[in-house]
């Protein structure tokens, strides 16, 4: 006889123990019949889990359970993405020190310790939520195996000529002090002062230039006008000047007036400064017109020596001081406040700069057709999410920048030859390798045996884009790989289509000439009750998943998660959760009745 009342507080932990002891969700690789492989998102280790995570992970779990009930052998591993910027920022916040303050080794140790603890907490929560994962296949992206796969992948791409280094203007976060990829830049609309500055023309006359970034004046290398703009056509080839005593090394700044179709006659005065570098148009002009490089902003977001007496000031301080100077010297014509689109770093919200630095790239721009074709071979749920992928590929502007000037990540498995400057990749049998503490096994082609380690680490996506290969035991077990690749299903959220889905398709195509998974299920976000997006890293007073499960049961929380549609965001709904709890009681009572 079943007890009168269903007590989830007693039943759920008891059943979780039963599942664990009896290996109920254990995957049998030798099982006859159909196998179903889930490329589970490795959770970024960067703070607290919130109900949004429970929302999307439950949806994937429902598919796993459904396939199991249909008789499939379900390979459902779980991963943790525990290196990269998100993790580093979480650790910096927790230990209240920046990586640069405590040094590379101490910082890496702090990261390892904190991520271990946090992953333990995450697993406890997932078990409490009853995800039917086979925990024997838990992995982490900083593990020995994952580093090996990631570095192996890099070396293969390097051999195929699909990677290159380049000293070039690259999106840069001055807060995190690293290069970032196009996919990590968000568009934000911020209120900004729009100042019109008076440049002097030869023989008298004024050329008005409107700008939101006067602090870039020390980096100004040209003024552009549209070649057909009747107001300025006669000025092309002449020089414009401005008094710059305070903000550059010389009393005046003189720049050429040049013509380019990209200058928009309807914006501001129609004449625009080109600085190295304010935005991606500046980068293009700098390339196409072979302009000089004047780097006025350093890696830490402070002004360089080019800014004269303002050297060392932050961008914001320099902006105020330069505007004051221009006002006092009568060089400002007008000012207004406008909403201005600014690229910001998705991890920290800091406006990005374009800095001229040496970075590693993986080619993607010349592979757009192939990438689009691969996207069409995958079944997307909901179907319209494939359009996001297509738009992203079609609008790519940069190759994939994979180097990060950070600490806690997978190092580049390479050295630089001191004699000839060529890259010397590690031998495959050395992997995983830390070039800071190891040397190449062979001499450089030039004969030299003197090497500098590659100083950078790889973008964390360069590793997490290999998850189908990590769970597929790509390097060491060809039979397992043949059985599990392409994976059956990739569940993931819509905001990382441009990163995780895209990069995984890139790696899969380059390494196997195949798609990484047959189907992708895109989840929406579980939002707060007032429809705000929840965040692991920001403080929030939201009720946490453990609290909800203690009060309403794991089943009830899961019930809410399964009432959302794929791809659609869904606010936390406590009533809906209570309905879920009552439904379980009804099922219990019905079972008792039938007993
Ligand atoms: Zn940042
Ligand atoms: Zn050499």
């Amino acid at each position: 006889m079943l007890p009168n009342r269903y007590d989830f507080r007693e039943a759920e932990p008891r059943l979780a123990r039963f599942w664990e002891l009896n290996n109920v969700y254990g995957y049998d690789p030798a099982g006859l019949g159909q196998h179903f492989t889930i490329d589970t998102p490795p959770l970024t280790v960067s703070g607290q889990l919130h109900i949004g995570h429970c929302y999307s992970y439950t949806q994937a779990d429902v598919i796993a359970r459904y396939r199991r009930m249909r008789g499939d052998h379900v390979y459902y591993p779980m991963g943790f993405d525990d290196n990269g910027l998100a993790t580093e920022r979480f650790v910096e916040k927790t230990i209240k020190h920046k990586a640069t303050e405590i040094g590379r080794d101490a910082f890496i140790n702090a990261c390892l310790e904190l991520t271990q603890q946090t992953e333990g907490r995450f697993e406890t929560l997932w078990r409490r939520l009853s995800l039917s994962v086979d925990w024997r296949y838990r992995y982490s992206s900083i593990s020995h195996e994952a580093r090996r796969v990631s570095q192996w992948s890099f070396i293969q791409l390097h051999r195929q000529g699909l990677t290159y280094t380049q000293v070039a203007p690259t999106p840069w976060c001055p807060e995190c002090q690293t290069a970032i990829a196009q996919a990590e830049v968000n568009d934000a609309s911020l209120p900004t002062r729009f100042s019109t500055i008076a440049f002097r023309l030869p023989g008298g006359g004024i050329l008005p230039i409107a700008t939101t970034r006067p602090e870039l004046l020390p980096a100004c290398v040209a003024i552009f006008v549209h070649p057909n703009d009747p107001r300025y056509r006669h000025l092309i080839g002449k020089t414009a000047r401005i008094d710059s005593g305070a903000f550059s090394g010389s009393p005046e700044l003189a720049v050429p007036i040049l013509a380019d179709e990209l200058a928009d006659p309807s914006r501001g005065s129609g004449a625009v400064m080109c600085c190295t570098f304010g935005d991606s148009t500046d980068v293009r002009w700098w390339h196409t017109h072979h302009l000089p490089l004047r780097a006025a902003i350093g890696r830490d977001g402070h002004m360089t020596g080019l800014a004269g007496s303002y050297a060392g000031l932050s961008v914001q301080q320099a902006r105020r001081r330069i505007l004051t100077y221009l006002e006092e010297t009568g060089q400002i014509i007008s000012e207004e406040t406008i909403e201005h689109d600014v690229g910001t770093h998705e991890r920290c919200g800091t406006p990005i700069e374009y800095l001229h630095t040496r970075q590693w790239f993986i080619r993607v721009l010349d592979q757009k057709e192939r990438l689009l074709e691969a996207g069409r071979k995958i079944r997307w749920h909901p179907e319209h999410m494939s359009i996001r992928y297509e738009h992203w590929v079609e609008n790519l502007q940069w190759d994939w920048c994979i180097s990060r000037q950070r600490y806690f990540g997978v190092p580049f498995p390479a050295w630089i030859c001191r004699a000839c400057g060529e890259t010397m990749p590690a031998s495959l049998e050395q992997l995983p390798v830390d070039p800071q503490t190891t040397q190449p096994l062979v001499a450089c082609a030039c004969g030299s045996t003197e090497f500098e380690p590659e100083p950078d680490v790889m973008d964390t996506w360069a590793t997490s884009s290999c998850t189908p290969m990590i769970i597929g035991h790509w390097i060491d077990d060809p039979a397992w790989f043949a059985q599990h690749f392409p994976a059956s299903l990739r569940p993931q959220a819509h905001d990382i289509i441009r990163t995780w889905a895209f990069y995984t398709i890139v790696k899969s195509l380059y390494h196997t000439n195949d798609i990484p998974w047959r189907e992708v299920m895109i989840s929406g976000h579980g939002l707060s009750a007032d429809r705000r997006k929840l965040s692991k890293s920001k403080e929030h007073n939201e009720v946490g998943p453990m609290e909800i499960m203690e009060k309403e049961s794991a089943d009830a929380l899961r019930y809410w998660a399964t009432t959302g549609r794929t791809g659609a965001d869904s606010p936390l709904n406590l009533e809906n959760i209570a309905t879920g709890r009552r439904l379980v009681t009804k099922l219990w009572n019905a079972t008792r009745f039938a007993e």
Side-chain angles (χ1 to χ4, degrees):
M1 274 293 278
L2 291 171
N4 277 350
R5 283 181 55 84
Y6 174 66
D7 179 5
F8 73 83
R9 288 189 182 86
E10 179 278 326
E12 287 186 345
R14 175 170 50 78
L15 289 169
R17 268 195 306 280
F18 176 83
W19 295 338
E20 191 183 346
L21 289 174
N22 294 281
N23 197 23
V24 169
Y25 303 117
Y27 168 62
D28 177 11
L32 293 176
Q34 189 150 321
H35 288 248
F36 193 83
T37 299
I38 301 178
D39 182 20
T40 320
L43 199 56
T44 306
V45 178
S46 62
Q48 303 290 333
L49 292 185
H50 52 67
I51 49 131
H53 298 106
C54 299
Y55 178 80
S56 51
Y57 277 75
T58 296
Q59 292 181 354
D61 183 56
V62 167
I63 302 293
R65 288 172 180 272
Y66 168 73
R67 301 302 307 204
R68 230 179 259 117
M69 285 193 279
R70 298 236 321 205
D72 290 0
H73 299 279
V74 177
Y75 175 38
Y76 185 17
M78 181 60 71
F80 295 110
D81 193 7
D82 51 6
N83 66 86
L85 265 177
T87 301
E88 290 193 302
R89 286 185 62 78
F90 160 64
V91 172
E92 285 180 335
K93 239 176 106 177
T94 310
I95 64 174
K96 298 192 171 63
H97 282 290
K98 287 204 157 201
T100 41
E101 291 163 12
I102 65 169
R104 176 186 148 100
D105 290 346
F107 184 67
I108 289 176
N109 285 335
C111 289
L112 284 169
E113 195 177 312
L114 256 170
T115 51
Q116 281 300 321
Q117 288 169 13
T118 311
E119 283 161 33
R121 280 211 323 272
F122 285 5
E123 180 175 335
T124 305
L125 184 84
W126 282 159
R127 286 181 181 272
R128 182 71 189 82
L129 186 65
S130 310
L131 297 188
S132 61
V133 164
D134 186 343
W135 286 100
R136 294 173 303 174
Y137 297 104
R138 171 180 152 171
Y139 70 92
S140 106
S141 61
I142 199 68
S143 68
H144 182 275
E145 294 75 22
R147 275 182 288 136
R148 187 149 172 266
V149 168
S150 181
Q151 293 186 332
W152 191 287
S153 159
F154 171 80
I155 290 173
Q156 299 295 358
L157 296 181
H158 186 67
R159 287 180 179 172
Q160 293 173 48
L162 289 163
T163 63
Y164 63 94
T165 54
Q166 181 176 269
V167 182
T170 309
W172 180 274
C173 175
E175 164 67 22
C176 302
Q177 296 199 29
T178 178
I180 57 174
Q182 184 191 348
E184 290 157 87
V185 181
N186 283 340
D187 292 325
S189 188
L190 300 174
T192 314
R193 267 165 89 180
F194 196 45
S195 313
T196 304
I197 301 168
F199 274 75
R200 296 192 313 277
L201 291 168
I206 291 294
L207 180 59
I209 304 283
T211 179
T212 56
R213 300 210 57 189
E215 72 277 13
L216 282 173
L217 272 168
C220 182
V221 289
I223 286 170
F224 278 94
V225 297
H226 194 277
N228 300 328
D229 191 331
R231 295 170 294 178
Y232 304 126
R233 219 167 17 210
H234 64 288
L235 296 176
I236 295 166
K238 301 220 160 56
T239 299
R241 294 183 152 78
I242 191 166
D243 291 343
S244 62
F247 60 80
S248 78
S250 58
E252 71 167 17
L253 184 79
V255 291
I257 302 168
L258 305 174
D260 194 288
E261 309 252 327
L262 286 178
D264 179 358
S266 68
R267 193 178 150 72
S269 66
V272 58
M273 294 199 298
C274 171
C275 306
T276 52
F277 299 93
D279 59 21
S280 54
T281 309
D282 285 348
V283 175
R284 279 180 71 170
W285 280 336
W286 179 72
H287 274 298
T288 50
H289 294 268
H290 307 288
L291 297 167
L293 177 71
R294 292 173 61 86
I297 297 173
R299 292 177 169 230
D300 58 357
H302 288 72
M303 305 305 290
T304 65
L306 275 187
S309 61
Y310 297 160
L313 295 185
S314 72
V315 163
Q316 291 76 15
Q317 289 167 332
R319 182 177 301 175
R320 282 194 295 274
R321 297 281 288 273
I322 289 178
L323 282 176
T324 306
Y325 171 82
L326 292 172
E327 261 161 43
E328 287 170 1
T329 50
Q331 300 186 93
I332 291 209
I333 299 169
S334 65
E335 281 207 302
E336 58 181 317
T337 300
I338 59 163
E339 285 290 317
H340 182 58
D341 287 336
V342 179
T344 60
H345 183 203
E346 65 165 8
R347 295 282 175 215
C348 66
T350 307
I352 58 151
E353 302 289 347
Y354 291 86
L355 292 200
H356 193 253
T357 49
R358 172 187 178 270
Q359 306 295 343
W360 277 98
F361 294 85
I362 292 178
R363 290 180 201 285
V364 288
L365 287 178
D366 56 3
Q367 305 281 334
K368 283 187 183 181
E369 265 317 307
R370 206 174 153 205
L371 289 162
L372 288 170
E373 200 183 307
R376 290 182 204 120
K377 287 186 189 152
I378 297 165
R379 272 190 73 191
W380 296 74
H381 307 276
E383 210 182 323
H384 64 84
M385 285 293 170
S386 67
I387 295 166
R388 289 208 195 180
Y389 172 80
E390 299 222 342
H391 280 176
W392 178 252
V393 174
E394 281 162 1
N395 292 308
L396 283 169
Q397 310 282 336
W398 303 71
D399 279 331
W400 175 12
C401 174
I402 54 162
S403 43
R404 298 290 178 272
Q405 288 64 52
R406 296 292 310 187
Y407 303 88
F408 192 52
V410 179
F412 280 86
W415 297 263
I416 302 154
C417 173
R418 276 195 190 138
C420 70
E422 281 296 310
T423 296
M424 168 59 107
S427 308
L428 291 174
E429 63 265 34
Q430 284 181 288
L431 306 183
V433 70
D434 181 357
Q436 308 271 355
T437 56
T438 320
Q439 284 292 308
L441 297 180
V442 291
C444 177
C446 77
S448 167
T449 52
E450 298 277 300
F451 298 98
E452 284 291 334
E454 262 292 340
D456 295 342
V457 295
M458 289 193 258
D459 176 12
T460 182
W461 296 114
T463 302
S464 56
S465 56
C466 297
T467 52
M469 289 151 191
I470 294 170
I471 65 167
H473 306 168
W474 177 45
I475 303 172
D476 298 315
D477 194 340
W480 182 283
F481 189 65
Q483 191 182 12
H484 297 93
F485 189 95
S488 317
L489 177 70
R490 152 68 67 90
Q492 67 157 75
H494 56 63
D495 59 333
I496 52 174
I497 290 175
R498 69 184 189 188
T499 46
W500 195 37
F502 169 67
Y503 292 144
T504 309
I505 294 172
V506 168
K507 287 277 185 104
S508 172
L509 271 187
Y510 289 176
H511 290 308
T512 70
N513 206 22
D514 203 348
I515 50 174
W517 353 267
R518 284 185 284 276
E519 301 189 63
V520 54
M521 179 175 78
I522 303 293
S523 69
H525 288 137
L527 306 174
S528 70
D530 54 1
R531 299 200 74 93
R532 274 181 306 110
K533 192 181 169 202
L534 297 165
S535 150
K536 279 199 291 262
S537 46
K538 295 199 185 84
E539 299 300 321
H540 52 85
N541 304 320
E542 292 303 323
V543 44
M546 271 300 189
E547 279 171 271
I548 292 180
M549 288 190 281
E550 292 312 319
K551 186 161 171 276
E552 301 279 2
S553 79
D555 272 329
L557 183 56
R558 294 168 58 92
Y559 177 82
W560 163 67
T562 52
T563 52
R565 282 175 295 122
T566 54
D569 295 345
S570 191
L572 176 67
N573 184 333
L574 291 172
E575 256 171 60
N576 186 296
I577 289 175
T579 306
R581 177 173 46 76
R582 287 193 293 269
L583 175 68
V584 178
T585 304
K586 277 183 200 155
L587 289 172
W588 181 267
N589 291 341
T591 312
R592 277 188 63 231
F593 181 73
E595 208 178 21

